[in-house]
Amino acid sequence: MPRFAIGDIACLKDYKWKGRTEEERSLLTALNPGHDMGRASAHPCIVLKTGREYALVATVSAHGSGPHDQWRSPWTRGGHYKKRPDRYRSFEGTERYNLKRPYLQLSKGAWPKPRGSWVNVENVLLVPVWFLGVFYKAQGYDENPYIPHMARESLDDLLRQIIEDNWQWSTLLRRFEELGGVKPLPPPSPPATPVSPPPRAPAKASPPPQAPTKVSPPPPGASTKVTPPPPAPSWADVAKGKKR
């Protein structure tokens, strides 16, 4: 199963596929109350946010238009389609309701219905990533398989309007985050290993202390009185000796 990035064009798988379990259908319905997941399935979609388990997507649809009705725009059909017509965004080549809003564009690929590709900003769905498949109907896919991708400016512009005009967006975003949809930040890098200074040269060993010189005590009975040296002769004695 391919991993889709933000801005990629994927395709919602078939909700009514015979291999789909009742548990899977119940999950899709519980994640998107008020939406008919059977009608939404098998439509291309723009990946707005994605995580390991879930994704937020906006569906792209022709809303039943085609060559048979000259690609009639949805807001001219009456009924619920005519309510809030400004909610429809058009890809280049498709009729616009609000001419002040720029066309949405792809940076890679082309739609199989270039005159019938609308995005209803209220049709944003929270789906498991296993419900996303490859959009095989993109122009040129058969000759060279690829994943279409939104132009960055168009994706940002579309997301701004979804935030402004889709009253369920904050609820959908909170559910997405609660389900672990946000990719966790990478773990912090371990602290750098401090560089140890080079080992210091061992200090030279000090010479062992010298034992103090032992002075032998005087023999028993010997006088401990120190005899002073004889006095030096006086100059008179020296003079007398010269006379002799």
Side-chain angles (χ1 to χ4, degrees), residues 68-145:
H68 62 280
D69 61 1
Q70 301 301 310
W71 301 100
R72 185 178 178 182
S73 56
W75 55 86
T76 62
R77 295 177 178 275
H80 71 281
Y81 286 104
K82 68 180 181 182
K83 296 179 181 179
R84 298 181 297 281
D86 191 49
R87 62 184 171 168
Y88 291 99
R89 293 300 301 270
S90 307
F91 278 89
E92 192 168 9
T94 304
E95 184 180 353
R96 283 184 297 177
Y97 173 79
N98 187 343
L99 301 181
K100 294 182 179 179
R101 293 194 181 276
Y103 282 116
L104 299 178
Q105 295 183 347
L106 296 176
S107 62
K108 180 180 181 181
W111 295 107
K113 298 178 181 179
R115 295 184 60 189
S117 298
W118 288 279
V119 178
N120 183 339
V121 298
E122 294 182 355
N123 286 348
V124 176
L125 304 173
L126 174 60
V127 298
V129 293
W130 52 256
F131 197 56
L132 299 177
V134 176
F135 184 46
Y136 298 105
K137 295 182 180 180
Q139 283 191 33
Y141 183 90
D142 292 338
E143 294 77 20
N144 184 23

Side-chain angles (χ1 to χ4, degrees), residues 12-209:
L12 297 178
K13 295 181 179 179
D14 190 354
Y15 176 82
K16 298 180 180 180
W17 176 54
K18 63 180 180 180
R20 187 80 54 223
T21 66
E22 194 58 38
E23 183 180 3
E24 290 173 340
R25 292 192 185 96
S26 298
L27 173 63
L28 290 167
T29 301
L31 290 173
N32 301 280
H35 287 278
D36 186 341
M37 295 304 294
R39 296 184 62 183
S41 65
H43 276 84
C45 61
I46 303 166
V47 178
L48 304 175
K49 289 187 176 292
T50 184
R52 288 194 176 97
E53 302 293 335
Y54 293 89
L56 284 169
V57 301
T59 55
V60 182
S61 176
H63 295 283
S65 66
H68 62 280
D69 61 1
Q70 301 301 310
W71 301 100
R72 185 178 178 182
S73 56
W75 55 86
T76 62
R77 295 177 178 275
H80 71 281
Y81 286 104
K82 68 180 181 182
K83 296 179 181 179
R84 298 181 297 281
D86 191 49
R87 62 184 171 168
Y88 291 99
R89 293 300 301 270
S90 307
F91 278 89
E92 192 168 9
T94 304
E95 184 180 353
R96 283 184 297 177
Y97 173 79
N98 187 343
L99 301 181
K100 294 182 179 179
R101 293 194 181 276
Y103 282 116
L104 299 178
Q105 295 183 347
L106 296 176
S107 62
K108 180 180 181 181
W111 295 107
K113 298 178 181 179
R115 295 184 60 189
S117 298
W118 288 279
V119 178
N120 183 339
V121 298
E122 294 182 355
N123 286 348
V124 176
L125 304 173
L126 174 60
V127 298
V129 293
W130 52 256
F131 197 56
L132 299 177
V134 176
F135 184 46
Y136 298 105
K137 295 182 180 180
Q139 283 191 33
Y141 183 90
D142 292 338
E143 294 77 20
N144 184 23
Y146 68 97
I147 295 177
H149 193 81
M150 285 282 290
R152 182 54 189 252
E153 297 79 8
S154 289
L155 180 63
D156 291 344
D157 182 45
L158 176 62
L159 191 54
R160 279 193 294 269
Q161 187 180 355
I162 289 174
I163 294 172
E164 293 172 1
D165 294 345
N166 188 324
W167 62 275
Q168 290 184 318
W169 172 254
S170 58
T171 301
L172 289 167
L173 185 60
R174 185 182 70 252
R175 289 177 184 168
F176 173 75
E177 294 172 347
E178 289 173 351
L179 291 168
V182 177
K183 293 181 178 179
L185 295 174
S189 302
T193 304
V195 179
S196 302
R200 300 177 61 181
K204 293 182 179 180
S206 301

